[in-house]
Amino acid sequence: MSPTSLNSGWRTARRIIDNILHKYPKLPKTFPREDSLPLQIGSKISVKEYNTFLNQNETTEYKFNWERGKVFIVEMAKAVHEAAVSYIQDCFKEPNNGVKVGPIEVLSQPFHYKPTGHGEQLVPDIAVCGRVPNVIKPLIPHPGPPPSDVDGNPHARIIGEVANTQTVANLNTKCEAWMHETYVRCVLGIKLFPKRTIGGVVHQAMLARLWTRRPTGTSVLSTNATLAAAGVHVTEWDFGTIQHNNNTPTPTGCTTLSNAAFQILIPTIDAFYNPPTPAVLPVTVVGANFTIDLFELQQVVMEEN
C-alpha cells in the first residue's frame, strides 16, 4: 500500500473516531430548499464542538448559526447572494486604486468570535480592515487588546452581511451583534426579498441598513438599548424596484446611477481605526469614502435568476 493511501486511511479513521467521541451537527444529504431555512441540523452541541464543525465545513455552501446548543443552516451561497457580496467587496477594494495587494484588505468569511456570544465563532460575508503594517497586528490573541480574528490577525473594522433567505429580524440581530465589538466602526446589512412578477414585469424589494458610531442626517439611534446608549445610529435605504413593506407595489425611486439619495458613503479611515493611536490614511488610498451605489447593486441582483 502506498504512503498516500495509508495517510488517507488514517485520516478517515481519525474522522470516524472523532465523530464517535464528539457530537457534531449533521449536514443534509441533499441541498435543502430555500423555503426550508432556517434548517436545524444539530442539538445539544457544545460551543467547542460547533467551532470544530465550523472549521471543518468552512468551504461548504452554507452559513450556520449556533443558538443555545442548537445549530441551524441559515443561508446558502446562491448566485444572487454571491453576486451581491462580490459587488460590495469590489466597492471596498476601489480605494486601493487597482493595486492587487493594497493597504485595504477585503476578505470573504474570515472567522471571528461572536461579540455577544459564548465563545462560538461567527463568519461575516465581508470583512474590511487595514493591512499590516498600516494597522497594529495584535500581540495578544483575541480579545487582545487590540482584538483579533480567531487566527490572531487584525479584527475587521467594517463588516458586511447579505441576507437572501434570512429574515430581516435575523439580519438585524447578526449586524447588531457585530456592533457590540467597539473596534468595529460600522456594519452594512443587505436584505434581498423574493422576486415578484407584476403586470409581466419582474420586481424585487431590497433593503440596506448601516449601523455606525457616528450620526448622519437620516440616521436614528439603534433600537437596541445597549447600542443606543453607546451612540450607535442606523440609516436605512429601501432600494429595490419596489418598496419592501408595502402591499401595493410602489417604486422606491432608486432608478439611476450616482443618485446621492441611494449611495452609501463609508469613510475609508474607518478601515484603519486603531486606538489608542490615531489612525492615519495611507497616501496610496484614493478617495475619502467607500462608495456603494445601491442602484448598481440593485441591477447586479436583478440580473441573477
Side-chain angles (χ1 to χ4, degrees), residues 8-276:
S8 177
W10 277 115
R11 285 196 297 270
T12 301
R14 284 197 300 268
R15 188 163 54 249
I16 293 172
I17 294 171
D18 188 41
N19 283 320
I20 292 173
L21 296 177
H22 299 91
K23 187 175 183 181
Y24 295 124
K26 303 295 182 185
L27 290 174
K29 294 181 179 179
T30 58
F31 212 54
R33 298 187 332 185
E34 287 188 353
D35 59 10
S36 69
L37 302 183
L39 177 66
Q40 185 172 337
I41 59 172
S43 62
K44 298 180 180 179
I45 307 296
S46 70
V47 168
K48 184 176 181 180
E49 289 168 337
Y50 173 68
N51 288 343
T52 300
F53 165 80
L54 203 62
N55 280 273
Q56 290 175 344
N57 292 279
E58 61 178 313
T59 58
T60 65
E61 296 180 315
Y62 302 119
K63 293 197 72 177
F64 306 98
N65 186 49
W66 180 93
E67 184 177 342
R68 298 179 182 178
K70 297 179 180 179
V71 178
F72 301 86
I73 293 175
V74 295
E75 192 72 75
M76 296 187 293
K78 303 285 284 186
V80 65
H81 178 274
E82 298 305 288
V85 168
S86 179
Y87 171 77
I88 297 168
Q89 287 177 327
D90 286 344
C91 293
F92 283 121
K93 293 175 183 176
E94 204 162 21
N96 279 334
N97 200 27
V99 177
K100 292 180 180 178
V101 185
I104 298 169
E105 188 169 46
V106 183
L107 300 176
S108 177
Q109 302 193 43
F111 284 57
H112 286 67
Y113 289 105
K114 186 176 181 179
T116 58
H118 303 276
E120 72 269 27
Q121 295 174 8
L122 189 61
V123 186
D125 283 320
I126 304 157
V128 183
C129 66
R131 194 184 302 275
V132 177
N134 296 296
V135 298
I136 298 171
K137 184 174 178 64
L139 298 177
I140 305 169
H142 192 82
S148 71
D149 66 10
V150 300
D151 295 318
N153 300 310
H155 196 287
R157 271 62 164 187
I158 302 169
I159 296 288
E161 296 284 5
V162 176
N164 183 34
T165 55
Q166 296 174 80
T167 65
V168 173
N170 288 341
L171 177 65
N172 285 349
T173 298
K174 180 179 288 186
C175 292
E176 289 175 350
W178 285 115
M179 287 302 292
H180 281 271
E181 170 52 70
T182 56
Y183 213 52
V184 173
R185 306 314 297 154
C186 60
V187 177
L188 173 63
I190 302 293
K191 169 58 183 171
L192 309 176
F193 295 88
K195 287 184 171 67
R196 297 170 58 187
T197 301
I198 303 169
V201 179
V202 177
H203 288 281
Q204 188 168 7
M206 305 174 201
L207 184 68
R209 284 179 178 159
L210 181 69
W211 285 258
T212 182
R213 301 188 188 279
R214 67 176 66 81
T216 64
T218 57
S219 67
V220 297
L221 276 172
S222 170
T223 56
N224 180 289
T226 302
L227 294 180
V232 172
H233 284 71
V234 186
T235 311
E236 181 176 295
W237 294 263
D238 204 349
F239 72 98
T241 57
I242 54 174
Q243 294 178 2
H244 81 281
N245 59 351
N246 197 332
N247 290 329
T248 302
T250 305
T252 62
C254 184
T255 57
T256 59
L257 195 64
S258 302
N259 182 343
F262 292 97
Q263 286 186 322
I264 299 177
L265 303 180
I266 298 173
T268 49
I269 194 70
D270 279 4
F272 301 93
Y273 178 69
N274 227 8

